[in-house]
């Protein structure tokens, strides 16, 4: 049996961040990462479209926590200890220059996730962190204050263990066997499948700022909307998918959304349309796009309002004006199913947060058993927030193990 001072299960973002910080703060500790695959940091590689969205330019802990449908309350204290600014400083100190984009997302200036991977691999090597591949954990036992870990090839023993395996049902099963409870995982970041003649044939159309309400719930969001081959995506949708993850799973991803494409009230919109009826009397409605909407979407909404391509503004009756105003401000769409958002598969679910001490990220049930990242029932909207949870938890774990 191989003995180590600290064993980290999971060679992803949280696992590497914990390992490097432990080894750097106490070089005498023997630290090993056990990775089940033949490669490490695979999720880092594909995140942010291969650019790695390391964190988000949100520098007030209270405001940062609002991006976590699960974990908002628990992360407030930890974010006072290690925050977005600390993440940026950590990477900059190790030679990774970062940049903040207009939407607040933060990337390496190289626009390549490989920069982050290289940084981690170099730091791990520099601080003698052992990285062991193809070590799929089969069992975790707690015996006389030591953790015994079995993989197909080896047995390990360690006094301290960090679980950083992300959304891994097998590891959750082993932790349940130990005595922890796990909130059942459901997908958290996904796009909406919608078949509707108002949006078919116009994939790639982006509306910069919409308001969306999920009917018969209090769920709402605003932001950019992207029309896709299968329905709708982009931040306005992904935010709803995260905050509504449990509700949507319960109704089998069949529900209705109401979209305000122009962020004006029905009455205000109607007044504007009545003025346009006078001002543009001789022009066709179809060809005179309004409200800065993409032309292809305007065409679809006009045709859905009891008009054809030749209908002139002057000829619009009360019913047509009201129907167009409805389509622009309260358009209802039926959602029927979901699709994974890129490769960034995030789940709601994981270790019950009541069983974790968030001053240390240590298990309340077992001494020297720590958690970092998505193995916990914490998840965030898209934009670098899931990584920030990983960095914060891993850093606090490292501090407490070194103590």
């Amino acid at each position: 049996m191989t003995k180590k001072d600290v064993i980290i299960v999971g060679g992803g973002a949280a696992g590497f961040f914990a390992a490097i910080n432990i080894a750097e703060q106490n070089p005498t500790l023997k630290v090993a990462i056990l990775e089940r695959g033949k490669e490490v940091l695979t999720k880092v590689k594909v995140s942010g479209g291969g650019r790695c969205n390391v964190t988000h330019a949100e520098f007030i802990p209270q405001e940062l926590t609002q991006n976590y449908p699960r974990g908002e309350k628990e992360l407030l204290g930890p974010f006072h200890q290690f925050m977005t600014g600390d993440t940026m400083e950590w990477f900059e100190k190790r030679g990774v220059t970062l940049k903040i984009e207009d939407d607040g997302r933060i990337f390496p200036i190289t626009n390549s996730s490989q920069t982050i991977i290289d940084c981690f691999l170099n730091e791990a090597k520099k601080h003698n962190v052992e990285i062991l591949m193809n070590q799929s954990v089969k069992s975790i036992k707690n015996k006389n204050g030591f953790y015994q870990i079995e993989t197909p090839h080896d047995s390990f023993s360690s006094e301290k263990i960090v679980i950083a395996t992300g959304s891994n049902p097998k590891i959750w099963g082993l932790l349940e066997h130990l005595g922890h409870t796990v909130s059942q995982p459901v997908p958290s970041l996904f796009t909406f499948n919608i078949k509707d003649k108002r949006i078919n044939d116009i994939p790639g159309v982006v509306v910069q700022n919409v308001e969306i309400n999920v009917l018969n719930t209090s769920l709402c969001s605003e932001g950019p909307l992207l029309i896709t081959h299968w329905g709708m995506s982009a931040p306005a949708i992904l935010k709803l998918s995260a905050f509504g993850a449990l509700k949507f799973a319960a109704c089998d991803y069949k529900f209705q959304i109401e979209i305000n494409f122009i962020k004006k009230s029905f009455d205000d919109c109607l007044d504007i349309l009545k003025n346009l009826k006078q001002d543009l009397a001789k022009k066709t409605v179809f060809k005179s796009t309004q409200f800065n909407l993409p032309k292809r979407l305007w065409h679809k909404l006009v045709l859905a309002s009891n008009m054809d391509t030749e209908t002139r503004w002057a000829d619009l009756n009360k019913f047509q004006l009201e129907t167009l105003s409805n389509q622009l401000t309260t358009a209802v769409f039926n959602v029927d199913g979901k699709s994974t958002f890129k490769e960034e598969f995030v789940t709601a679910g994981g270790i019950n947060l009541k069983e974790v001490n968030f001053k240390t990220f240590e298990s309340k049930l077992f001494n020297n058993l720590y958690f970092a990242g998505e193995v916990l029932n914490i998840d965030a909207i898209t934009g670098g927030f899931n990584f920030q949870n990983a960095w914060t938890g891993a850093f606090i774990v490292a501090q407490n193990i070194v103590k």
Side-chain angles (χ1 to χ4, degrees):
M1 184 171 284
T2 310
K3 195 170 179 308
K4 300 288 175 192
D5 296 312
V6 186
I7 285 179
I8 290 159
V9 183
F16 264 82
F17 208 71
I20 291 162
N21 282 294
I22 292 164
E24 186 178 48
Q25 290 172 47
N26 186 345
T28 64
L29 294 175
K30 282 188 197 156
V31 182
I33 294 173
L34 304 185
E35 165 55 43
R36 65 176 170 165
K38 56 182 189 290
E39 277 182 59
V40 290
L41 300 163
T42 50
K43 205 164 173 185
V44 170
K45 195 168 184 62
V46 298
S47 77
R51 295 197 299 142
C52 191
N53 181 189
V54 282
T55 185
H56 201 95
E58 182 61 82
F59 299 100
I60 297 162
Q62 278 85 348
E63 289 177 14
L64 182 60
T65 61
Q66 284 165 25
N67 297 286
Y68 297 83
R70 282 145 295 273
E72 179 183 350
K73 186 170 94 262
E74 290 79 6
L75 286 174
L76 184 57
F79 283 157
H80 277 94
Q81 284 187 64
F82 192 88
M83 183 62 183
T84 313
D86 303 303
T87 298
M88 294 182 76
E89 188 186 1
W90 193 95
F91 281 109
E92 299 268 355
K93 266 187 182 167
R94 288 157 185 81
V96 177
T97 309
L98 300 172
K99 57 168 179 171
I100 301 175
E101 300 202 338
D102 292 345
D103 59 4
R105 292 182 304 162
I106 297 174
F107 292 92
I109 204 156
T110 58
N111 278 328
S112 170
S113 56
Q114 196 58 44
T115 304
I116 303 299
I117 293 169
D118 291 344
C119 168
F120 282 161
L121 293 175
N122 292 337
E123 290 294 314
K125 191 175 174 186
K126 182 169 142 192
H127 298 292
N128 300 314
V129 172
E130 201 176 350
I131 302 164
L132 302 166
M133 316 282 199
N134 299 310
Q135 297 284 359
S136 181
V137 172
K138 297 278 179 238
S139 73
I140 302 171
K141 294 189 175 105
N142 184 327
K143 283 190 179 167
N144 311 323
F146 279 85
Y147 291 93
Q148 292 181 358
I149 297 170
E150 299 288 335
T151 75
H153 316 291
D154 299 289
S155 307
F156 298 90
S157 163
S158 179
E159 201 177 344
K160 293 176 164 62
I161 179 175
V162 183
I163 308 291
T165 45
S167 307
N168 182 331
K170 207 173 87 185
I171 298 294
W172 281 330
L174 296 181
L175 293 167
E176 280 183 309
H177 196 67
L178 263 186
H180 270 284
T181 48
V182 172
S183 305
Q184 272 325 101
V186 298
S188 169
L189 280 187
F190 49 85
T191 60
F192 293 178
N193 294 356
I194 298 170
K195 283 191 172 66
D196 191 294
K197 67 174 192 286
R198 289 168 293 177
I199 61 167
N200 65 6
D201 316 325
I202 57 167
V205 164
V206 176
V207 191
Q208 281 310 328
N209 204 1
V210 303
E211 279 173 4
I212 308 180
N213 290 296
V214 180
L215 294 181
N216 306 313
T217 74
S218 57
L219 290 167
C220 60
S221 78
E222 53 184 65
L225 174 78
L226 168 68
I227 292 166
T228 67
H229 286 285
W230 57 88
M232 293 179 183
S233 183
I237 295 292
L238 295 169
K239 192 171 176 184
L240 282 179
S241 79
F243 279 90
L246 303 179
K247 267 194 176 83
F248 297 148
C251 67
D252 198 25
Y253 306 99
K254 290 175 172 58
F255 53 94
Q256 289 185 310
I257 56 173
E258 181 185 272
I259 302 180
N260 187 332
F261 288 108
I262 60 173
K263 290 183 84 171
K264 294 188 187 306
S265 71
F266 171 82
D267 290 335
D268 286 351
C269 177
L270 191 58
D271 288 343
I272 293 167
L273 294 177
K274 284 174 181 168
N275 287 333
L276 290 169
K277 180 177 155 83
Q278 307 299 322
D279 300 344
L280 302 175
K282 290 181 176 163
K283 294 191 169 169
T284 66
V285 182
F286 188 81
K287 282 192 177 152
S288 33
T289 308
Q290 300 298 318
F291 303 105
N292 290 324
L293 281 178
K295 194 185 291 181
R296 291 194 293 161
L297 178 64
W298 172 262
H299 289 168
K300 290 279 191 181
L301 297 180
V302 167
L303 296 177
S305 306
N306 297 84
M307 303 178 212
D308 60 36
T309 56
E310 300 306 316
T311 307
R312 295 184 316 150
W313 284 96
D315 301 331
L316 290 184
N317 60 35
K318 181 171 178 274
F319 174 67
Q320 287 168 315
L321 285 166
E322 286 178 353
T323 307
L324 182 55
S325 188
N326 262 322
Q327 291 292 350
L328 291 164
T329 62
T330 56
V332 174
F333 292 87
N334 294 314
V335 177
D336 185 5
K338 61 170 176 53
S339 297
T340 305
F341 174 63
K342 298 185 181 166
E343 300 90 345
E344 297 179 33
F345 189 75
V346 174
T347 55
I351 295 295
N352 186 332
L353 303 186
K354 290 187 169 64
E355 298 170 1
V356 180
N357 173 0
F358 280 92
K359 287 191 172 70
T360 59
F361 283 76
E362 187 177 12
S363 163
K364 288 181 181 175
L365 312 186
F366 300 95
N367 291 338
N368 296 321
L369 169 60
Y370 294 86
F371 303 105
E374 270 185 65
V375 68
L376 294 163
N377 185 22
I378 293 176
D379 61 287
I381 64 172
T382 182
F385 300 105
N386 281 301
F387 274 140
Q388 186 56 52
N389 165 46
W391 313 139
T392 295
F395 187 83
I396 292 171
V397 164
Q399 276 193 319
N400 283 280
I401 283 178
V402 170
K403 262 184 210 167

